Amino acid sequence: METVSGYVDHIIFQNAENGYTVMNLVSDGEEITCVGMCRGLGQGENITARGEFVEHPVYGRQLKISGFQVTAPRDKVSMERYLGSGAVKGVGAALAARIVKKFGDDTFRIIEEEPERLTEVKGISERKAREIAVQMEEKRELRDAMVYLQQYGISNALAVKIYDTYGMELYSVLKENPYRLAEDVSGVGFRMADELAARIGIHMDSDYRIRSGIFYTLTGAVGEGHCYLPREVLLERAHTLLNVETESIQPQIDNLVMDKKLVVKKDCVFAASYYYAELNCARMLYELNIPMDEAENLPSQDAALEKRLRELAESLNMELDQLQLEAVTRSIRNGLFLLSGGPGTGKTTTINMIIRYFDAAGLDIFLAAPTGRAAKRMTEATGFEARTIHRMLELNSALSDETSRKVRFERNEENPLEADVIIIDEMSMVDIQLFQALLRAVTPGTRLILVGDVDQLPSVGPGQVLRDLIESGAFPMVTLRKIFRQAEKSDIIVNAHRINSGQQIMLDNKSRDFFHLERNDVNVIYKHMIQLIQEKLPKYVKATPFDIQVLTPMRKGPLGCETLNGILQRYLNPPDAGKKEYISGDTVYREGDKVMQVKNDYQLEWEVVSRYGIPVDRGTGVFNGDMGRILEINDAVSQMVVEYDEQRRVSYPFSMLEELELCYAVTIHKAQGSEYPAVILPLLSGPKMLFNRNLLYTAITRAKSCVTILGSSDTVRGMIDNVSENRRYTALAQRIQEVMNVGEGF
């Protein structure tokens, strides 16, 4: 660790949101390029910086700052340089020189203690003197706060966030209840607040600590997909976290219930927002679940409607079996309808028939899916435009804040969607929060048709909406199970259904689209994976190497996506003099790389440009799982341009690259809703909770034309036999039953 003292001569780049800064620091006459999180730092300031010197491939030697402390200028030269740097608005170099000439080494004391004396300097009025004093006081308060927080191990970037949140109140907050930081300041979790509280001297059995620990435990459960925890599970987890007896935790649960921050139903403990999210969804579903009457000119008898449908199908050269016809009929006769089924069972044909019927009736139809890739697939399959649910609901990025989980949409109960029919595909990917936002924008009388495969992995976010809707038994529903003749020719589809039903599959390589290469050495798997992507599969499936996707159950380990991405990048997009690179953390980003957005970012702006570089469409929002290619790395402006589906281009400042990952290989969970020409699955061994039937089923159904398993046949058989899934604690089905009066619920 190096320590360098000097003054900030020039700030080259500074991100206003997170404080990432590139600057020149002059120390003992030497100019040093420094990079790091230095929010609140301005030109002319004197600092002592700590960090390590690194060698940048383009800019050479740099000091990567891990921490810094602002020091007050102590001599006339430093004072003049600071005042004239632009740090104080309205004071330029000439005026700074006059101020320092007048007051000398006493300049800063005069500004802080006797600011009225600044009027003795030519060009400074009483008003300007007050403005200079106020600015200097604000900067001094921030510096003092940062020094105060640094003694507790808080970084400068986080110290500025805390100061911005509380101002001078931060001292009383830290003294009385430092756990407030975990609720109020993004980037501060319970563990950081707990460490801070321990240093300040807050007791382990403090009520504040226990309450914050309960919330932290429930928040962690939400990250696992749960909407609540059973009381005993919550008590056990909170006891492990807090290291206090459960007898001390229980009363605080009761107090939080009285404060309406928690809801307890039959020993199930919810954070209030998730309880009411499920309850609100149940109430809105009840209002939508109405039969459509004859006012819409529907035939009064199912037989007459079926006849009309058969005539329409014949005119469109479409074939539907009896169950598909029943599905179309139910979608027409009901305000809410669920359509479920695995691959090859005719979901797409059924959806197309539903769309054609309503289109012929002159109704307005909206199609949507949770992700951009799923929406694109829906568009290609139906010939009608499909959008992401976020885009259909008109996400308002100006009002959205992912750090506080507040997402705002223009379409809601006050401004509902103007559609007669709304069809949502890939419902297994929709979490409870997005579902609540969708329902708020749908008015009774609008048909809502929800389509999905309940055997796919559940949503990344909390809840298991599709499964709960089905298990409630409260809504009209059809499950398609028959594999159609054309689909029977695909071993991908046949094997998917065999796996889903727990039957072992043939791994004899007699298939045209489903292969298994028995390989038990990791290095051999690497070798054959690269051969398949570069040489074998592109010709076989008529695609490019970049279209072929490696899917893996894990992030870590020799066959986890983190390791695989480094290896695949080396061979699929090797270094080249014509390709610019940028190193962020442990990742080398290179022009041409495949990358994935790994968090929902509602503020990110995108644009679509014409062949002449003129923007033809703009919008906001890039979402977890979106995949694209790096078009450009621009060191001059410190940003990277990524192009996503539909030619949407996004410019990322280098400081935001933590939102991206290489995606030559991705986890199976991240691949939900996507379809690739060919999929490669490296499977050797791993945790039982990951290597299960549900995961294998989801993985192979991501492939359109070819699946290749590289690894152990014993592992594949073990996954088919392993029916263990991480149970999700959700209660939407019970809330629906309560509202519909078809069950007791809880």
Side-chain angles (χ1 to χ4, degrees), residues 272-282 284 432-433 436 732:
S273 60
Y274 287 97
Y275 172 78
Y276 288 110
E278 291 190 326
L279 182 59
N280 289 338
C281 285
M284 290 185 284
I432 191 65
Q433 292 167 316
Q436 179 178 221
L732 178 59

Side-chain angles (χ1 to χ4, degrees), residues 30-68:
E30 179 188 2
E31 193 171 282
I32 302 169
T33 301
C34 301
V35 297
M37 299 298 181
C38 304
R39 189 177 174 195
L41 192 62
Q43 289 182 184
E45 300 216 58
N46 290 264
I47 67 169
T48 298
R50 301 176 302 282
E52 295 181 356
F53 282 100
V54 296
E55 195 70 26
H56 189 276
V58 176
Y59 297 112
R61 188 168 179 260
Q62 297 180 338
L63 180 66
K64 189 173 182 180
I65 295 177
S66 58
F68 75 95

Side-chain angles (χ1 to χ4, degrees), residues 358-621:
F358 288 126
D359 186 49
L363 301 185
D364 291 326
I365 309 165
F366 284 0
L367 308 182
T371 67
R373 296 181 76 87
K376 184 179 179 183
R377 286 179 60 197
M378 197 178 187
T379 300
E380 293 169 348
T382 64
F384 283 68
E385 181 193 6
R387 295 170 287 175
T388 63
I389 299 173
H390 289 86
R391 197 169 183 190
M392 181 179 72
L393 296 179
E394 298 177 19
L395 174 76
N396 189 326
S397 62
L399 296 176
S400 298
D401 180 7
E402 172 65 4
T403 58
S404 63
R405 297 188 178 274
K406 293 179 181 176
V407 183
R408 307 295 177 87
F409 296 101
E410 292 290 344
R411 295 292 181 174
N412 49 43
E413 49 270 86
E414 296 177 358
N415 182 28
L417 292 165
E418 297 172 3
D420 301 305
V421 182
I422 299 172
I423 304 175
I424 308 294
D425 198 9
E426 296 287 356
M427 270 299 299
S428 64
M429 299 176 66
V430 175
D431 64 35
I432 191 65
Q433 292 167 316
L434 183 57
F435 192 52
Q436 179 178 221
L438 170 67
L439 294 178
R440 280 176 171 162
V442 182
T443 55
T446 300
R447 288 180 177 83
L448 181 61
I449 299 166
L450 306 176
V451 184
D453 181 354
V454 73
D455 295 312
Q456 297 282 354
L457 290 171
S459 57
V460 174
Q464 47 184 10
V465 171
L466 181 60
R467 184 178 295 276
D468 282 347
L469 292 176
I470 292 171
E471 290 183 354
S472 73
F475 308 111
M477 175 186 166
V478 168
T479 300
L480 303 175
R481 301 191 185 280
K482 175 185 173 183
I483 304 176
F484 282 84
R485 188 174 302 168
Q486 186 176 357
E488 286 179 340
K489 298 176 183 177
S490 167
D491 285 320
I492 294 174
I493 291 174
V494 171
N495 284 340
H497 285 274
R498 290 181 66 85
I499 290 168
N500 199 36
S501 63
Q503 300 176 60
Q504 292 296 331
I505 59 176
M506 298 297 292
L507 299 173
D508 55 8
N509 289 330
K510 293 181 180 179
S511 168
R512 294 183 186 179
D513 61 6
F514 199 101
F515 305 99
H516 169 249
L517 303 180
E518 186 76 34
R519 303 290 185 269
N520 294 294
D521 184 285
V522 169
N523 291 315
V524 174
I525 289 176
Y526 295 157
K527 175 185 174 182
H528 287 283
M529 186 184 303
I530 292 161
Q531 284 180 341
L532 285 167
I533 296 172
Q534 287 186 320
E535 303 169 17
K536 307 291 185 183
L537 288 175
K539 295 177 183 177
Y540 192 71
V541 298
K542 296 180 176 60
T544 71
F546 281 84
D547 294 324
I548 295 159
Q549 190 62 51
V550 176
L551 302 181
T552 173
M554 306 170 293
R555 289 190 59 83
K556 304 291 185 181
L559 292 180
C561 61
E562 292 180 1
T563 301
L564 290 174
N565 272 317
I567 294 169
L568 293 170
Q569 181 195 44
R570 192 184 315 155
Y571 287 92
L572 300 180
N573 190 31
D576 185 277
K579 297 176 186 174
K580 291 184 180 178
E581 297 181 356
Y582 182 77
I583 300 173
S584 177
D586 297 327
T587 303
V588 176
Y589 292 101
R590 187 173 297 134
E591 289 177 341
D593 274 336
K594 281 174 70 173
V595 290
M596 174 184 281
Q597 176 81 11
V598 295
K599 62 175 286 190
N600 290 335
D601 192 319
Y602 303 101
Q603 271 78 33
L604 262 182
E605 298 179 357
W606 55 261
E607 65 178 16
V608 178
V609 300
S610 69
R611 58 187 297 185
Y612 303 106
I614 300 171
V616 294
D617 192 14
R618 284 190 172 93
T620 56

